[in-house]
Every structure is written in C-alpha cells, then in structure tokens.
C-alpha cells in the first residue's frame, strides 16, 4: 500500500468521523449511553482502520488489511443509528452488524488473509447477505420511534408497516440463526486450533485471545442490558468497546510477530551461532517458532532432497499445509527448509533464516573440505616421508650391490697386483682392476642419471624422455608438443612421474608399447602415459601410484588413472606452470 493509499483511507475515515459528529444527535446518543462511550466508540473504529492500514502496507498481497479497514468503517457507520438524518439513520440501521461479518472473514482467513475452502466463501457471503437482509427486514416491519430524540426523530425510509408482533416473530427467527453463525465460527476456530501446527497457534494466539475476551464482554453487556438500566450498563458498554479494540491490536501483533530488522538480525545471530546438526535444526525451529521445521540436504548423486536419514523427499506443493524454501549457493541447490505454511507470508524472517542457513551450510562445507584437505596433507606427508625413506634405501641398495661391489673388487685386484712378482700377472691384475673401475663409473653415472638426469636440465623434458626411451626395454614413443619449457620444478616432477609410469608398465602390465605425450592445456603441463597392457592398475596405500599422486599434489597438480582390466592403462597428470616456487623436487 502506497502513501497515497494511506492518505486516502485516512481521508475517508476522517470524513466518516466528521459526518458522525455532525449527523449524530448527541442528546439521543447519551440518552442510552454515557458521554465517554462516543469517544471510546470512535477510538475503536480508528483502531481498526489503523491496524488495517498497517497490515495492508506490510501484506499487500492478501485481504487481511483491507478487511480490517472495512470492519473499522462499518463499525463507525453504527453511530448513524442515533442520527436525526433519515438517510444516515436508515443506512446505519441496515449496516448495524455488518462489521461483525468482516471480522468473521478476517478470523476465518487469518493469517493468510484468504478463505481456504469453497464452503467458507459461501458461508461468509451468506453472512453478509443475512446481516443486511435481516436488518432491512426488521426496519421494514419495525419503527424505532422517537426514542432518545428530543426534537425531530428520523424517518425510517424502509418502513412498510409498524407491526411489533411480526417484528418480535422475526427476531425469534433471527436469534437462533445468529447463534448458529457464532457456533459455526467458533467450531471452525476450535478445530483449527486443535489441528493447527505450533507455528499456526503462535501466530493466531493473540487474535484468538482477543476474540475470546471480546465475546465474553459482549455476552456480559447483553446480560447486563437485560437485567439493569442503570449507569452500570453504560460502564460495561465502554469496557465492551475497549475489549473489541483488542481485535485490531491482536491482528497487528500476530502479523508482525516475526517482523522487523532487529528480529531478523537476532535470527541471523542465533542461527549462525548454532553448530550444524540437531542443535542447528533446533535453533531454526526456535527462530521460526515452528517445532515441525525440518532441514533437508541436496544429494547431487540422486538429484533429490534427502533428510538426515537419507530418505528422499519431494518439496511440498502450493495446495499443501507445508511450505519450503530452497537454499542455494552459486545458483546450485544445497538444501531446503520445510516449515508450516502459515509462515509463508513472513518473507523478512524467512529471508533472514535462509541467509543464515546458507552461510552456515557454506561455512560447514568449507570447513569439511578444509579438514579433508588437511587430513590428506597429513597422509601425503607420511607417504612422502615413506617414499623418501624407500628411495634412500633403494639408493643404498643400488650402491651396495653395484658400484660398491665393483670398487671393492678393484681394490682387491690392485692389492694383489702390489704383491705380485710376476710381470704378466701384474698386467692382468691391473687390467682387471681397471675394468672393474670402468664398470663402477658406468653404474655410478647411471645411478646419478636416475637421481637427476643432466640432460633434463640441459635440454629439457622431451630430450630427457628420449634418453629414457633409449634405456627402456619396451618400445617407447614420445610426442613432444611443447614450445616453451615449463620450469625446473614442473619438469623434474613430470619426468619422475613419467619414468615411474614407464617402469610400472615394464614390470607389471605386459605391454608391447608405451606412449608419452607432452602438451600445454590451460596453462598447465599435461603429461599422458599410456600403454596397451593388461590394465587393472589402481591407487593403493603406500603404492607407487599413490606416491606419484602425492608428487603431483605437491605442485597443486592432479593425477588421474584410467586402467580397465584388459584395456590398457592411461595415466594423465596436469601440473600448473603459473606462480610455482622454483625449488627442486628430489627423489
């Protein structure tokens, strides 16, 4: 509702109030009421209008605010029953109880502002017809007469003939109908209260309490009027008006129960501070005052929402008594809040809870990913340490079994040559010792080439792999599509990964051909090693492939393996070449 609408409603209400003050015969009014009743009466009408405007502005999509404004205007029209103007008097008599039907419509449609079923719409429409029709019928056969009017009393424009007997008979017919309407409304409200969710009860409780108080006071006024004609009746009437004023107040309290930026911020703090789990769901229920609220998570594998037990659920539809808000992160669903449909018209609160929940779920996701990464770092550290220890043991074994044995043999031959007195034997021993030294030097060179091949630093990764191909017993084809060198650390890691993959293919795959391709893809060096062997390779704790994966991860790279049984093996590693530290990666 725009500001112009508020001014229009205020103008209409002000004009109606002015008409009351001008047209109502004050002496007639105070003859049956105390002077303060008129002030209280007008205040009640304005209270209805003010509450209706407030509800209309905050909830323009339903009829609660409009009906409350209408109820307030119809309430004020009741004062025309004491007008000396014939038209105003007749209009006031026709609409004397119509305000109560507007209140009934508010009660039955609360808090959504809409009647829920067809019979409710027919019932409310019938109440409007009945309230106007019964009032017109009473005016047609009964003339209120000059009660309270000292001068000119108004003319009943609808009067056909004044027949007190017929009027009394009509009133005896209307009385049980009035009681039936009240019983139906009360039965509906009691049924809804008993079957309603805690969220519905929390929203409806203020209006329910105001209705009970207003009904009790109205019954009290009726009984007092029947038994007494003293000033006590006038006092009770004023109290009755004040009790009715609780209805618009209750409407405002009920509709604004969850509103306000301060409440939204408190919800954000309360929900955001709760740990994810059952305590988090409890915080959500407490924030929305809906113990039936549930939080479902999104399963990408199933493409469905699932509860904490993994049971798949579908979001409730528009016609159901439950509503849902989908939680999204980067336009992707992460979960859903499912709550009572009476909260559907609380957009500020739902938005606050949704934001707090999304932030909490996102933080939890990041925390889980971080913990998983830290755990993987711990495991990879252990594997790297174990791999380093294994490499050192292998190096020690290779030195012990290879070059060291050659050097020991050469030393023994040289000592024998020192003791030899035979010139021919001396030459033979020196020749054998020199041969052992040559073999030791060759093995040391091969060992050093395995630790860090000199050709890698001098000529790059492609040349180093070509050198590897010359020493590999299997046919090894190299497809080098690199135009620039990726950097020392990346080259060394790529070389060791490729060399280890070739060694695995030679030992375990029974392959007849191994191919290695080198190219740049999106700023990363991609090395693909494929063979036509038996396949079936996989990552195992402490295995060679797991060590290669750790080596790639140390440079923020990724390593993937495709090795179906009897289908060969394809190992692909991507190593970023941007913003990497220039440090050596040793075996």
């Amino acid at each position: 509702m725009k500001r112009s609408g508020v001014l229009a409603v205020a103008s209409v209400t002000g004009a109606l109030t002015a008409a009351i003050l001008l047209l109502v015969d004050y002496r007639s009014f105070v003859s049956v009421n105390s002077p303060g009743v008129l002030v209280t009466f007008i205040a009640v009408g304005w209270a209805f209008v003010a509450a209706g405007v407030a509800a209309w502005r905050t909830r323009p999509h339903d009829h609660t605010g409009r009906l409350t404004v209408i109820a307030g205007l119809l309430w004020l029209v009741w004062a025309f029953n004491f007008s000396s103007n014939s038209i105003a008097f007749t209009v006031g008599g026709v609409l004397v109880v119509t305000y109560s039907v507007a209140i009934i419509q508010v009660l039955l449609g609360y808090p959504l502002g809409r009647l829920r079923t067809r019979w409710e719409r027919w019932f409310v429409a019938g109440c409007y017809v009945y309230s106007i029709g019964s009032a017109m019928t009473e005016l047609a056969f009964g003339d209120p007469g000059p009660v309270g009017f000292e001068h000119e009393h108004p003319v009943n424009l609808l009067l056909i003939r004044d027949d007190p007997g017929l009027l009394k008979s009509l009133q005896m017919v209307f009385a049980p109908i009035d009681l039936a309407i009240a019983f139906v409304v009360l039965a509906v409200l009691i049924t809804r209260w008993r079957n309603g969710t805690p969220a519905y009860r929390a929203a409806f409780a203020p209006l329910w309490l105001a209705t009970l108080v207003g009904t009790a006071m109205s019954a009290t006024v009726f009984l007092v009027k029947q038994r007494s004609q003293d000033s006590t009746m006038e006092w009770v009437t004023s109290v009755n008006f004040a009790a009715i004023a609780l209805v618009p107040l209750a409407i405002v309290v009920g509709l604004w129960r969850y509103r306000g930026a301060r409440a939204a911020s408190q919800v954000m703090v309360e929900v955001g501070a709760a740990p994810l789990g059952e305590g988090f769901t409890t915080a959500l229920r407490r924030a929305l005052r809906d113990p039936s609220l549930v939080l479902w998570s999104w399963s990408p594998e199933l493409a469905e929402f699932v509860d904490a037990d993994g049971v798949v659920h579908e979001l409730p539809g528009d016609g159901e008594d439950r509503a849902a808000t989908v939680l999204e992160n980067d336009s992707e669903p992460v979960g859903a809040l499912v709550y009572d449909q009476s909260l559907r018209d609380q957009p500020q609160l739902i938005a606050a809870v949704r934001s707090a929940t999304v932030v909490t779920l996102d933080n939890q996701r990041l925390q889980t990913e971080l913990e998983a990464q830290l755990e993987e770092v711990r495991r990879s550290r252990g594997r790297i340490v174990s791999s380093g220890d294994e490499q050192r043991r292998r190096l020690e074994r290779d030195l012990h079994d290879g070059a060291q044995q050659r050097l020991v043999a050469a030393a023994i031959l040289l000592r024998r040559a020192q003791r030899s007195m035979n010139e021919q034997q001396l030459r033979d021993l020196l020749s054998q010792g020199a041969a052992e030294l040559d073999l030791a030097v060759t093995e040391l060179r091969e060992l050093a080439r395995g630790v860090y091949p000199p050709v890698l630093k001098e000529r790059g990764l492609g040349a180093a792999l070509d050198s590897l191909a010359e020493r590999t017993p299997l046919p090894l084809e190299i497809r080098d599509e690199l135009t620039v060198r990726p950097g020392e650390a990346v080259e060394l890691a790529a070389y060791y990964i490729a060399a280890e993959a070739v060694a695995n293919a030679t030992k375990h795959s029974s392959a007849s051909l191994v191919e290695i391709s080198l190219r740049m893809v999106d700023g990363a060096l991609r090395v693909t090693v494929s063979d036509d062997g038996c396949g079936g390779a996989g990552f195992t704790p402490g295995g060679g492939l797991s060590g290669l994966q750790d080596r790639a991860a140390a440079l923020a790279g990724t390593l993937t393996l495709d090795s179906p049984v009897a289908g060969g093996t394809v190992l692909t590693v991507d190593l970023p070449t941007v913003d990497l530290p220039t440090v050596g990666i040793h075996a």
Side-chain angles (χ1 to χ4, degrees):
M1 187 180 188
K2 298 181 180 180
R3 185 176 181 181
S4 58
V6 176
L7 294 177
V9 172
S11 300
V12 172
T13 309
L16 184 57
T17 304
I20 291 172
L21 297 177
L22 292 174
L23 298 177
V24 168
D25 189 306
Y26 181 74
R27 295 184 181 88
S28 174
F29 190 92
V30 298
S31 66
V32 294
N33 296 290
S34 63
V37 171
L38 181 59
V39 177
T40 306
F41 170 81
I42 294 176
V44 171
W46 275 92
F48 269 97
V49 173
V53 169
W56 197 345
R57 293 194 67 182
T58 56
R59 300 163 63 91
H61 53 284
D62 62 41
H63 305 297
T64 301
R66 301 180 184 87
L67 290 173
T68 307
V69 170
I70 293 173
L73 296 177
L74 292 173
W75 170 270
L76 292 174
V77 171
W78 173 84
F80 288 142
N81 284 277
F82 297 93
S83 174
S84 58
N85 181 279
S86 298
I87 297 178
F89 173 81
T90 305
V91 172
V94 172
L95 302 178
V96 64
V97 293
T98 314
Y99 77 91
S100 62
V101 183
I103 295 178
I104 289 175
Q105 187 172 356
V106 172
L107 290 174
L108 295 182
Y110 192 85
L112 301 179
R114 299 183 297 273
L115 298 175
R116 305 183 183 184
T117 61
R118 177 178 296 180
W119 83 263
E120 289 180 355
R121 292 189 285 271
W122 279 103
F123 175 75
V124 171
C127 288
Y128 277 111
V129 173
Y130 167 74
S131 65
I132 296 176
S134 61
M136 293 178 66
T137 302
E138 290 187 4
L139 289 175
F141 298 102
D143 188 5
V147 177
F149 292 94
E150 294 184 1
H151 304 289
E152 180 183 2
H153 69 83
V155 176
N156 180 2
L157 300 178
L158 297 179
L159 181 63
I160 298 176
R161 76 171 188 270
D162 188 11
D163 190 340
L166 179 58
L167 178 62
K168 186 176 182 179
S169 299
L170 290 173
Q171 290 175 342
M172 292 181 64
V173 174
F174 294 150
I177 296 178
D178 295 338
L179 291 176
I181 292 175
F183 176 78
V184 170
V185 173
L186 188 62
V188 171
L189 296 182
I190 291 176
T191 302
R192 287 185 181 176
W193 180 268
R194 295 182 60 184
N195 298 334
T197 62
Y200 172 80
R201 295 179 183 177
F204 190 74
L207 189 57
W208 177 259
L209 180 61
T211 303
L212 292 180
V213 173
T215 303
M217 291 306 303
S218 298
T220 302
V221 170
F222 176 78
L223 294 176
V224 171
K225 283 183 177 181
Q226 297 297 319
R227 298 183 180 183
S228 175
Q229 296 296 327
D230 57 18
S231 60
T232 304
M233 182 193 70
E234 300 170 359
W235 175 81
V236 172
T237 301
S238 298
V239 175
N240 180 42
F241 286 171
I244 294 177
L246 293 176
V247 174
L249 177 62
I251 291 175
V252 173
V253 172
L255 296 181
W256 287 2
R257 189 177 180 90
Y258 305 109
R259 295 188 177 277
R262 182 177 180 183
S265 62
Q266 290 176 347
V267 167
M268 289 285 289
V269 172
E270 181 180 5
V271 174
L276 194 62
E278 187 61 30
F280 183 73
T281 305
T282 301
L284 291 174
R285 292 170 178 170
R286 184 168 54 250
L288 291 177
R289 299 183 183 181
D290 180 9
S292 65
L293 178 143
V294 293
L295 175 62
W296 296 339
S297 60
W298 174 258
S299 173
E301 295 80 8
L302 302 176
E304 297 282 354
F305 291 99
V306 298
D307 59 18
D309 298 325
V311 179
V312 176
H313 294 274
E314 293 185 1
L315 296 179
D318 294 336
E320 302 182 26
D321 59 352
R322 305 283 287 167
T325 296
V326 177
L327 309 174
E328 295 182 345
N329 185 20
D330 295 334
S331 300
E332 294 293 332
V334 295
L337 288 173
V338 183
Y339 45 84
D340 188 83
Q341 58 90 18
S342 62
L343 297 173
R344 184 178 298 169
D345 291 319
Q346 306 294 336
Q348 292 180 354
L349 180 71
I350 295 299
V353 171
R354 181 179 64 242
S355 299
T357 306
V358 170
V359 170
T360 302
L361 292 177
D362 197 38
N363 289 341
Q364 181 66 20
R365 178 183 61 81
L366 293 176
Q367 182 178 354
T368 302
E369 292 179 357
L370 180 59
E371 290 176 353
Q373 291 176 359
L374 290 176
E375 182 61 27
E376 179 59 27
V377 168
R378 295 189 187 98
R379 290 195 296 265
S380 65
R381 281 180 177 178
R383 292 194 296 266
I384 289 173
V385 170
S386 299
S387 177
D389 293 341
E390 177 63 27
Q391 293 289 346
R392 283 190 292 271
R393 285 192 294 269
R394 187 173 65 179
L395 180 60
E396 179 183 3
R397 184 175 59 254
D398 291 342
L399 288 173
H400 180 272
D401 297 339
Q404 180 177 341
Q405 296 294 331
R406 299 292 182 185
L407 293 174
V408 169
I412 293 174
L413 290 172
L414 291 176
R415 290 191 183 95
R416 288 179 59 190
Q418 286 179 337
R419 294 192 299 270
S420 176
M421 301 301 295
N422 187 311
E423 183 176 354
Q424 184 60 39
Q425 185 182 23
L426 175 62
R427 290 191 183 94
D428 292 340
L429 291 173
L430 289 175
S431 177
Q432 295 175 13
E436 291 292 340
L437 289 175
D438 289 337
L439 291 175
V441 170
T442 301
E443 291 182 357
L444 286 175
R445 286 176 177 173
E446 290 293 330
L447 189 60
R449 186 180 294 111
V451 175
Y452 191 97
V455 68
L456 177 64
K457 185 174 183 179
E458 296 171 359
R459 299 171 54 191
L461 181 59
L465 292 177
D466 287 334
S467 176
L468 176 66
E470 296 175 358
R471 305 190 305 273
T472 301
L474 288 177
L476 178 58
E477 295 183 1
I478 310 297
R479 292 198 298 272
D480 186 2
E481 301 177 10
L482 299 179
T483 57
V484 294
R485 296 186 63 174
E488 181 181 351
V490 174
E491 279 188 332
L492 184 59
Y495 174 81
Y496 284 131
I497 291 173
E500 182 67 23
V502 171
N504 288 337
T506 302
K507 296 178 181 177
H508 309 296
S509 71
S510 302
S512 60
L513 175 66
V514 179
E515 297 180 352
I516 300 178
S517 68
L518 307 174
R519 66 180 187 273
M520 300 297 297
V521 178
D522 297 330
L525 170 63
R526 174 167 293 180
V527 180
T528 304
V529 183
S530 58
D531 64 62
D532 58 356
C534 60
F539 297 104
T540 57
L545 292 177
S546 297
L548 298 183
Q549 196 174 41
D550 292 338
R551 188 183 293 276
L555 294 177
T558 59
L559 186 146
T560 58
L561 181 67
D562 182 16
S563 183
V565 176
T569 299
V570 178
L571 184 148
T572 304
V573 58
D574 290 310
L575 300 174
T577 60
V578 180
D579 297 332
L580 289 176
T582 57
V583 294
I585 307 296
H586 300 288

